[in-house]
Amino acid sequence: MTFNALNPRPTGGIMRRRTLIRGAAAVVLAPAGLAAATSATASPRPKSAQADDLVGVDVSNYQVGFDYARAATEGLDFVVAKAGGCQLSEGPYTSDSYAGHIDGARAAGLRVGHYFLTGDFLSPSDAADYFVDNLHDYRGGDVLALDVEVLDDSTRLWNDADVSTWFNRVRERVGAYVPWFYISTSALRSADWSRTIASGARLWAASWGANDGNYPGPPDLGGSYPDWAAHQYSSMGSVAGTSPIDLDLARPWAFDVSGPTDPPPGGLPKTSTEQDGVPGPNMWKRTQNWLRIQSGYTGPIDGIPGPNTYAALQRNMAGNWGYTGPIDGNPGPMTWSAVQRLAAQHGYAGPIDGVMGPNSWRGFSRFINADAWD
């Protein structure tokens, strides 16, 4: 992985033009200086790593023939392999080396991850579908990562809405999984990532420091993300006779399977809809958490209602409040009449007519503000 000027590393790195080769032959286009070295460090673990940190590498076509068995004996714990991307004008692709990397890492007993490079030539949802449809030997517990940078024919860094859409779509396709969001810390600090955080994506921060193969210390997130799960700290590593290679650290919890997004530590804030009758993000976050607890909602707690939120609401209304319509995620008067019946148990005294207004929302929000849904 390499960032260009639109998404810069904190310090320099080697610019690599293509990771997909036009045509059938599996060829690596490597600039001068990318030849494999013949020596390696005794262990890829940096001296400053915490005792329970896991050490890994991320690989692509530049590391064809990587010696995974030797890497395992040197102390490597995990490998994240490039599956493909959508940054090329000719369209999405699967990397030539992808299957071999996954098979080699598994054979050596290493933890495995798969990553996809963002670009201009697929929508986030279509990119997620392409990624899932072309996964090689995906198994529960594997990392599924999105590499957010600008390379090759692409011109635009994916934003918070794009990234969260990709992660939420992958979750819809595969269920509970291990999501990693790769981005440089400079790009991370320059934007808001609240939707991506709400999607449950764990940060894989790229921050190289002097980029001399040594660990530069933890990445500076600038308050833009709750914490980092993994840290790509150098592009100039040497492992199992291959150099240069990207070096990574990961916290043990970075590999925990992530189900529905839990509320943030300390709980969710109460919604002011109880007072002003105006539904807003806090009301919907609390609604999503209530539906997560009671009605099988598996999306993010992001305060943005969509078909998954509405389908879970319909399931709850069907079980408790007389809703008899379809569970289709498309709410209409029947859905909202059931919500008004719930609201009537919490102070709403208006008609049950399926038309939500300030008084309907106030009654509903008195229920949603219960401590149980914090």
Side-chain angles (χ1 to χ4, degrees):
M1 303 181 191
T2 299
F3 288 88
N4 69 10
L6 290 175
N7 191 13
R9 300 282 193 178
T11 58
I14 299 173
M15 177 54 61
R16 306 168 188 171
R17 161 65 186 161
R18 293 282 184 184
T19 51
L20 171 72
I21 309 306
R22 290 180 173 89
V27 181
V28 178
L29 293 183
L34 279 182
T38 58
S39 62
T41 55
S43 169
R45 173 174 292 276
K47 293 180 180 179
S48 57
Q50 298 296 312
D52 57 354
D53 285 341
L54 301 175
V55 294
V57 295
D58 54 271
V59 294
S60 66
N61 283 354
Y62 296 109
Q63 290 81 31
V64 172
F66 184 71
D67 189 342
Y68 285 103
R70 177 176 167 183
T73 66
E74 291 181 0
L76 200 72
D77 297 305
F78 68 90
V79 174
V80 187
K82 183 174 183 179
C86 60
Q87 87 282 10
L88 302 177
S89 58
E90 57 262 43
Y93 62 91
T94 298
S95 294
D96 297 321
S97 60
Y98 170 46
H101 283 310
I102 297 298
D103 293 344
R106 287 212 196 282
L110 302 174
R111 296 174 186 252
V112 168
H114 318 245
Y115 80 83
F116 190 81
L117 177 60
T118 61
D120 295 2
F121 302 101
L122 277 181
S123 71
S125 183
D126 288 344
D129 283 336
Y130 183 90
F131 174 64
V132 172
D133 289 342
N134 291 280
L135 285 170
H136 174 73
D137 191 23
Y138 171 66
R139 304 180 188 182
D142 287 358
V143 170
L144 297 182
L146 184 65
D147 176 1
V148 180
E149 53 183 314
V150 182
L151 286 177
D152 297 333
D153 302 325
S154 294
T155 61
R156 185 182 70 86
L157 188 73
W158 278 19
N159 62 26
D160 186 34
D162 297 325
V163 174
S164 60
T165 295
W166 190 91
F167 280 109
N168 289 333
R169 179 58 178 163
V170 171
R171 188 185 298 281
E172 289 177 4
R173 291 291 307 277
V174 304
Y177 73 117
V178 183
W180 285 16
F181 162 44
Y182 175 93
I183 192 169
S184 73
T185 51
S186 57
L188 181 83
R189 295 191 298 264
S190 69
D192 175 76
W193 301 100
S194 56
R195 293 186 182 186
T196 302
I197 294 167
S199 77
R202 296 168 186 155
L203 179 63
W204 181 10
S207 179
W208 292 353
N211 199 22
D212 56 5
N214 295 310
Y215 188 60
D220 176 14
L221 309 186
S224 295
Y225 223 80
D227 200 359
W228 60 274
H231 178 194
Q232 185 193 75
Y233 64 89
S234 179
S235 69
M236 300 301 293
S238 178
V239 180
T242 295
S243 178
I245 193 169
D246 293 338
L247 300 177
D248 303 270
L249 282 182
R251 271 79 179 270
W253 52 264
F255 296 89
D256 291 345
V257 173
S258 171
T261 304
D262 291 328
L268 294 167
K270 305 296 186 182
T271 173
S272 62
T273 307
E274 184 176 348
Q275 288 76 44
D276 60 26
V278 178
N282 282 341
M283 189 208 78
W284 284 113
K285 285 179 183 179
R286 297 185 66 85
T287 299
Q288 289 166 331
N289 195 40
W290 158 55
L291 295 171
R292 177 187 70 87
I293 294 167
Q294 287 204 338
S295 301
Y297 173 67
T298 59
I301 309 299
D302 61 0
I304 304 169
N308 287 343
T309 302
Y310 293 132
L313 179 65
Q314 289 168 330
R315 284 194 296 272
N316 191 285
M317 295 299 99
N320 301 288
W321 301 102
Y323 176 67
T324 58
I327 309 299
D328 60 3
N330 184 25
M334 293 179 67
T335 303
W336 298 122
S337 292
V339 172
Q340 287 173 325
R341 284 191 283 273
L342 182 158
Q345 300 298 310
H346 298 275
Y348 173 61
I352 307 299
D353 59 4
V355 180
M356 296 293 287
N359 289 334
S360 300
W361 288 119
R362 287 188 186 100
F364 176 69
S365 292
R366 290 188 189 100
F367 165 73
I368 285 299
N369 267 341
D371 293 345
W373 320 130
D374 287 356

